[in-house]
Amino acid sequence: MGEKNYVIRVRGFLLLFFQISIVLGSFIYIFWDIQFEGILASLNRWNPLGLVLAFGIMFVDICLMIFRLYTLFLKKITVRTAIYGVIFCLGYNNILPAKAGDIIKTVFIHKENLLPFSFVIPIIVWERIFDSVILFLLLLISFSNIALGGILFLFFFVVVFFFILRRYAQFFYQLYERIPIIRLAYFLHELHENGIEKVTLSWLFSNLFLTIAIWGSYFGCFWVSMHYMAGLDLTLFQMILVFVVTCTGAALPSTPGSLGVFEAGMVLSLSLYGIERDVALPVALFIHFLYFLPITLGALFLSLLEFSRKKIGW
């Protein structure tokens, strides 16, 4: 037991060291030898209409996330639950560590609509799978020489793995029955049944289409901010690479809301195409602001509203 606790503490220390290293490295990189006069000069060249368009696209993106969450649960949750779930998830991921917003969203949906965790968790996992697949495909597309082979391999692997779990469901159910902990065995059985066996192709393709629309809107916000607002002269594939590198960096375990890491990823990728830091950093901060401050304030406001509603007994 003592050795196990020691291993856990060492792993925790290494993870913390990794996170601190990423954050410190990111802040040092983006602010090293920065020219603040250049930042002010680049801000003066921004197109105000592009700024407004970026806000509008961000709003559409959030609406698509809400609609996807509603359809993921086969309309077994209310629209209000979908709105609160998305805002809670995004907002609290911005200010709490370890992607705690996903946990808050899961618990909220479970309590608000009296759905069992064995039904809620598989759907949240599917939501993350959809997002991960699209991000990975974008990464492949940005490196066009390996895009076709990588896409075909990923598609084949996902399809085969999914149908193995469906085709041999009874075999897996028998494995779960061998687990001595009854509650765990039942939970895994329900997880497999709700997350694999009951999934239909129409559900898969409709939510995959919505996920593509969500990421397309997110990329649209990047494109408008970089091309139309800041006037950066980049090709479509160059913008896709900047988008993917930024999103991949933000997915690394670091600060809540990926503060600093998001900006470093975008400044680094833009530097590959000759964009100076004093031009790249304001754009990165603006895009991060779009998906940070309004949504975080919204999550805090809805939390106070929910607390007041339950306290008053509405």
Side-chain angles (χ1 to χ4, degrees):
M1 181 63 69
E3 183 179 351
K4 185 177 180 181
N5 290 334
Y6 173 76
V7 172
I8 293 175
R9 287 196 297 269
V10 170
R11 287 179 180 176
F13 172 77
L14 291 176
L15 178 60
L16 180 62
F17 177 78
F18 176 71
Q19 291 174 325
I20 293 175
S21 299
I22 290 178
V23 174
L24 288 178
S26 298
F27 277 103
I28 291 172
Y29 173 73
I30 60 178
F31 287 111
W32 184 266
D33 199 28
I34 193 76
Q35 300 295 325
F36 290 99
E37 297 83 359
I39 290 178
L40 294 176
S42 66
L43 289 174
N44 289 330
R45 293 192 296 268
W46 280 12
N47 186 338
L49 182 58
L51 188 148
V52 175
L53 285 174
F55 268 101
I57 295 173
M58 183 272 291
F59 179 76
V60 171
D61 195 21
I62 300 301
C63 290
L64 287 171
M65 293 182 198
I66 293 169
F67 184 63
R68 182 183 65 171
L69 187 63
Y70 182 67
T71 58
L72 277 169
F73 279 92
L74 302 171
K75 301 180 180 180
K76 292 184 178 180
I77 63 173
T78 63
V79 174
R80 174 183 173 277
T81 300
I83 294 172
Y84 275 58
V86 168
I87 300 301
F88 282 161
C89 179
L90 297 176
Y92 283 111
N93 275 343
N94 283 337
I95 57 178
L96 296 177
K99 300 296 182 182
D102 291 274
I103 299 174
I104 293 172
K105 176 173 69 174
T106 302
V107 174
F108 177 78
I109 293 173
H110 160 71
K111 290 186 175 181
E112 190 73 10
N113 294 94
L114 302 178
L115 297 172
F117 280 120
S118 57
F119 178 76
V120 177
I121 292 177
I123 293 179
I124 301 300
V125 171
W126 269 111
E127 185 182 34
R128 289 291 154 260
I129 290 174
F130 285 133
D131 288 332
S132 300
V133 167
I134 297 302
L135 180 58
F136 185 65
L137 291 180
L138 286 171
L139 180 62
L140 293 178
I141 291 172
S142 63
F143 297 98
S144 56
N145 57 323
I146 63 171
L148 181 59
I151 290 172
L152 292 176
F153 172 78
L154 179 65
F155 178 78
F156 177 78
F157 175 79
V158 171
V159 170
V160 169
F161 183 69
F162 175 73
F163 279 101
I164 286 176
L165 292 174
R166 283 175 67 95
R167 176 66 178 81
Y168 300 101
Q170 294 303 320
F171 169 75
F172 287 99
Y173 291 155
Q174 291 174 4
L175 287 180
Y176 303 148
E177 291 176 359
R178 295 177 181 272
I179 298 175
I181 305 175
I182 298 177
R183 286 188 175 182
L184 178 60
Y186 175 78
F187 179 76
L188 291 175
H189 185 284
E190 291 291 299
L191 205 66
H192 191 125
E193 183 179 7
N194 292 317
I196 302 294
E197 201 169 6
K198 290 184 178 180
V199 170
T200 63
L201 289 178
S202 61
W203 182 87
L204 276 175
F205 283 112
S206 62
N207 285 289
L208 182 60
F209 174 78
L210 282 172
T211 303
I212 293 172
I214 289 168
W215 281 88
S217 299
Y218 193 23
F219 173 73
C221 187
F222 269 69
W223 182 85
V224 167
S225 300
M226 289 188 291
H227 179 72
Y228 194 67
M229 184 188 73
L232 303 184
D233 186 18
L234 298 173
T235 66
L236 177 62
F237 282 102
Q238 288 173 341
M239 288 192 180
I240 291 176
L241 180 61
V242 171
F243 176 70
V244 172
V245 170
T246 305
C247 293
T248 304
L252 295 175
S254 56
T255 57
S258 300
L259 290 173
V261 181
F262 180 96
E263 288 77 10
M266 191 166 183
V267 170
L268 174 63
S269 53
L270 285 173
S271 69
L272 300 176
Y273 305 113
I275 308 298
E276 299 293 336
R277 293 183 202 180
D278 52 1
V279 176
L281 182 57
V283 181
L285 289 171
F286 170 73
I287 297 174
H288 205 170
F289 166 84
L290 280 181
Y291 284 85
F292 187 91
L293 188 60
I295 297 172
T296 303
L297 292 178
L300 295 175
F301 173 75
L302 291 180
S303 297
L304 292 174
L305 193 65
E306 186 70 9
F307 175 77
S308 300
R309 185 178 68 89
K310 291 185 177 180
K311 185 176 181 179
I312 297 173
W314 288 352

